[in-house]
């Protein structure tokens, strides 16, 4: 619950007057801040009394005790240590290289293709723009710019069945699409 600035100033002044030294006033200020912070989370507090008790106990732990708690939970629940920050991208790159080696033998029978709009008939430009708009989810203006900038790549990693359907549809509309 928020308190007014005037009330906060008055309570600080009372604490300063009542405290015999600066050190004890700082301690009182720290206590009142934590109490207020604790009270401000009452609305978001869990309703289960067991959970509330656990949260209260954890909130009273020191930093070292919290670190011990985290390591104990990780070992008990078999949670691996996760790298933080920029290091997270480095381990992810290693499995990608392994997958690439596995994909190399399968390159003989390619299942995913890239579609490229090569050219289109000027008379059917409007139909091609509408089809590109539907296929790629672009706005009408972006679809027009896309079609006018042909030859341009339309889609990547398209399964063979879908690629053949798209090529047939675009051919009926008067556009030439290549499959790589």
């Amino acid at each position: 619950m928020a308190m007014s600035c005037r009330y906060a100033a008055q309570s600080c002044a009372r604490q300063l007057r009542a405290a015999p030294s600066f050190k004890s006033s700082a301690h009182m200020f720290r206590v009142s801040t934590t109490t207020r912070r604790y009270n401000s989370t009452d609305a978001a507090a869990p309703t289960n009394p067991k959970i509330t008790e656990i949260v209260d106990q954890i909130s009273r732990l020191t930093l070292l005790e919290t670190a011990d708690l985290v390591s104990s939970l990780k070992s008990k629940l078999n949670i691996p240590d996760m790298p933080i920050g920029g290091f997270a991208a480095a381990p992810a790159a290693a499995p990608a290289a392994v997958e690439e080696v596995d994909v190399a033998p399968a390159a003989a029978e390619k299942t995913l293709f890239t579609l490229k709009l090569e050219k289109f008939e000027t008379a059917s430009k409007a139909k091609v723009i509408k089809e590109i708009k539907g296929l790629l989810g672009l706005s009408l203006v972006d679809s027009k710019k896309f079609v006018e900038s042909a030859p341009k790549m339309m889609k990547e990693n398209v399964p063979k069945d879908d690629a053949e359907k798209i090529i047939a549809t675009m051919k009926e509309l008067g556009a030439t699409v290549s499959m790589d």
Side-chain angles (χ1 to χ4, degrees):
M1 188 163 147
M3 66 173 123
S4 68
C5 292
R6 174 185 252 174
Y7 179 75
Q10 288 174 350
S11 71
C12 284
R14 259 186 262 130
Q15 287 178 357
L16 287 173
R17 274 183 260 143
S21 70
F22 177 75
K23 186 175 183 180
S24 62
S25 68
H27 174 70
M28 300 266 295
F29 178 73
R30 214 175 306 125
V31 169
S32 68
T33 307
T34 57
T35 305
R36 188 176 55 127
R37 186 176 344 144
Y38 172 75
N39 291 337
S40 68
T41 59
D42 283 343
T47 56
N48 187 346
K50 186 176 180 181
I51 301 294
T52 306
E53 182 181 334
I54 293 171
V55 169
D56 289 341
Q57 290 175 353
I58 290 173
S59 65
R60 284 185 245 133
L61 294 177
T62 65
L63 188 58
L64 292 174
E65 291 170 336
T66 306
D68 289 341
L69 173 69
V70 169
S71 63
S72 298
L73 285 173
K74 281 183 180 180
S75 64
K76 178 122 180 148
L77 300 174
N78 295 325
I79 299 172
D81 287 335
M82 296 287 216
I84 299 174
F87 300 108
V98 173
E99 290 175 15
E100 193 172 323
V101 172
D102 294 341
V103 174
E109 55 180 79
K110 194 171 180 183
T111 57
L112 298 177
F113 296 92
T114 301
L115 297 178
K116 184 176 182 181
L117 176 65
E118 297 293 338
K119 59 184 177 179
F120 60 93
E121 295 175 9
T122 314
S124 62
K125 182 178 176 181
K127 293 178 185 176
V128 173
I129 290 172
K130 286 181 184 177
E131 187 64 28
I132 291 291
K133 180 180 183 266
L135 282 173
L136 303 180
L138 300 173
S139 68
L140 191 60
V141 173
D142 290 337
S143 299
K144 181 178 183 237
K145 289 178 183 176
F146 182 89
V147 169
E148 289 173 346
S149 65
K152 192 165 185 175
M153 183 189 58
M154 286 176 44
K155 280 189 159 189
E156 290 182 320
N157 300 328
V158 181
K160 187 174 184 175
D161 300 339
D162 294 341
E164 289 173 349
K165 289 177 186 175
I166 292 171
I167 290 173
T169 304
M170 296 300 282
K171 189 174 184 180
E172 289 175 10
L173 296 175
T176 306
V177 177
S178 66
M179 182 169 62
D180 296 333

